[in-house]
Amino acid sequence: MNTNQKQLKIVLLSPKGPLYRHPRGVFRKMLRAAPLTLTTLAALVPEELNASIKIYDEGVEDLPTSLDADIIGITVITGSATRSYELADGYRKAGRKVVLGGPHISLMPEEASEHADAIVTGYAEESWPELLRDFVAGKMKPRYDMSPDFSLGNPGMLPFPRRDLLSKKRYLTTNTFEATRGCVHNCDFCVVPSAWGRRPFQKPVAHVVEDIRRTGAKRLIFYDLNLIADRPYAKELFKALIPLKIKWFGLSTTLLAEDEELMDLTVKSGCSGLLIGFESITPEGLKSIKKRFNRPNLYEDLISKLHERGISVMGTFVFGLDHEEKDIFEKVLDFVHSNKVDLPRYAILTPFPGTPLFTKLDNEGRILTRDWSLYDGQHVVFEPHGFTAQELLEGHEWIWRKSYAYRSMGRRLDIRMPNITTLVAANFGYRFYAYNLTKFYNCQGGFI
């Protein structure tokens, strides 16, 4: 391709599975924060290519019936893989070049290669620009992998995300950021260690601070999977955030309770809420997924300490773990009420392909379907112990509805919390989710 004769046209897509697809998806705008993947990929396009770039997020907009593009990049999670492959096959049939990347592609590269002109595995800061230069030169390879010595420590390859390419009116906020990637833990059900390994990646603190300053954001979200994994780094980051006088929401593990200094710095840096993966309230359940660092006997103390500091808690719980039985739904609901979990969120255990959990269940003959569109955390795709697949689905529906009944919200929410207005709005957003979830179950006509 001669860029002097024709401008390179790039389209970046984030398809969605049936549960979350615009316009009838179960997520409301008040629960939608802008993704970082597409805007980061857009920022990584080499300037010398003089490319035009368009972004489409199927969670907030319909995709055009046809795309005017030389090359189309699609980011894929397992729940969107079926839809992504469908789109990719159609675009390729129309003569477009298609590149697939994202977690599912890193987990299932051979499968993905059947639907793409090229695939990208791992993080794309180095490989995506290389692929585009190769494409322009007419020598694009079928596969690009993250290098073994990949690092986020080089500011030269860390342009700021192209948030200007997103429509702000479609999201609750476009002020989404990241400081780190990866996770040092090795939970059986998590795709992170399988797709990217357990090595943590960190952006220079100065780069993170400058990204926030450039946007002028005063309320923002950190997408980091485990912001406190490296405690010295987290403390350095939180100290650097204090002068910005921001309010932020992020993710943390229960290990935050072990470090009072870190917890206090979390508050001083402007943290107003944390998503914490409790997953189970039983040691046996946690042991079954190798999340032993979670200790249920310390949950109450952690939540109390966070609430005392004005930090709200979005607690996540997973159902379908071995060694747990049908009474687990009522026990978790009691825990949520007694500890006033501000925003409880529930998922059905999902054995994503490529993870140790999938391998274990597959070897035991317990995988019920390989229809990836059902692998969204809200469908039953394996045969559980302790109850039937139907009982697991019904219990999951029950606890969503019970948790977001008006009486439950009244019991859980404390009007003295500094961010009570935001919490009320978010609870009503999840109430819609809870009471409409079953309308979106039938991806292929069944509950599994």
Side-chain angles (χ1 to χ4, degrees), residues 154-337:
N154 179 9
M157 72 172 200
L158 289 177
F160 299 109
R162 289 287 309 276
R163 298 179 182 89
D164 59 292
L165 295 175
L166 294 174
S167 174
K168 291 185 176 182
K169 66 181 180 180
R170 298 183 186 273
Y171 300 98
L172 171 66
T173 179
T174 57
N175 293 326
T176 52
F177 300 84
E178 67 171 1
T180 66
R181 291 184 197 162
C183 186
V184 298
H185 302 292
N186 198 30
C187 305
D188 266 6
F189 65 92
C190 184
V191 303
V192 175
S194 297
W196 299 292
R198 296 173 64 186
R199 183 161 57 98
F201 301 95
Q202 300 166 341
K203 294 182 178 180
V205 169
H207 177 87
V208 179
V209 170
E210 180 59 22
D211 192 16
I212 297 171
R213 281 181 173 152
R214 285 165 60 95
T215 65
K218 290 301 179 184
R219 293 183 176 273
L220 55 99
I221 296 172
F222 278 109
Y223 276 154
D224 307 52
L225 295 175
N226 185 3
L227 195 52
I228 66 160
D230 182 328
R231 295 184 191 181
Y233 176 87
K235 291 176 182 179
E236 179 187 354
L237 174 65
F238 294 163
K239 289 175 183 177
L241 294 179
I242 293 173
L244 300 181
K245 300 185 183 304
I246 59 173
K247 293 294 182 183
W248 61 269
F249 183 94
L251 288 73
S252 172
T253 66
T254 58
L255 296 178
L256 180 61
E258 295 182 355
D259 194 323
E260 290 281 345
E261 179 191 7
L262 180 58
M263 190 177 292
D264 289 338
L265 281 173
T266 304
V267 176
K268 292 178 181 177
S269 68
C271 179
S272 61
L274 289 172
L275 184 153
I276 298 177
F278 296 113
E279 318 308 358
S280 174
I281 59 171
T282 72
E284 297 79 15
L286 293 166
K287 182 179 179 181
S288 72
I289 54 173
K290 294 186 179 178
K291 195 161 186 174
R292 296 183 179 91
F293 65 86
N294 266 14
R295 290 180 286 175
N297 61 311
L298 300 181
Y299 287 176
E300 181 178 353
D301 184 56
L302 170 61
I303 296 171
S304 177
K305 287 180 177 178
L306 291 174
H307 280 165
E308 288 172 3
R309 290 165 169 81
I311 296 177
S312 59
V313 175
M314 174 183 279
T316 63
F317 303 87
V318 176
F319 296 107
L321 304 179
D322 288 352
H323 311 295
E324 294 184 346
E325 299 182 348
K326 287 185 289 186
D327 62 353
I328 190 63
F329 300 104
E330 291 186 2
K331 289 179 178 178
V332 170
L333 184 64
D334 288 343
F335 173 88
V336 163
H337 284 154

Side-chain angles (χ1 to χ4, degrees), residues 319-321 324-329 382-393:
F319 296 107
L321 304 179
E324 294 184 346
E325 299 182 348
K326 287 185 289 186
D327 62 353
I328 190 63
F329 300 104
F382 73 102
E383 189 65 49
H385 284 162
F387 30 56
T388 66
Q390 183 67 41
E391 288 170 336
L392 173 55
L393 184 76

Side-chain angles (χ1 to χ4, degrees), residues 13 42 69 94 104 139 143 148 158 172 178 193 197 293 350 384 387 417 434:
L13 300 179
H104 187 76
K139 56 178 185 179
R143 177 167 175 168
L158 289 177
L172 171 66
E178 67 171 1
F293 65 86
T350 303
F387 30 56
M417 290 292 288

Side-chain angles (χ1 to χ4, degrees), residues 18-20 26 69 84 87 90 141-143 150 154 162 224 253 269 301 309 312 360 376 389 413 430:
L19 198 60
Y20 303 112
V26 75
S84 298
L87 291 171
K141 295 176 290 190
R143 177 167 175 168
F150 176 82
N154 179 9
R162 289 287 309 276
D224 307 52
T253 66
S269 68
D301 184 56
R309 290 165 169 81
S312 59
K360 172 181 177 292
D376 56 11
L413 294 175
Y430 275 112

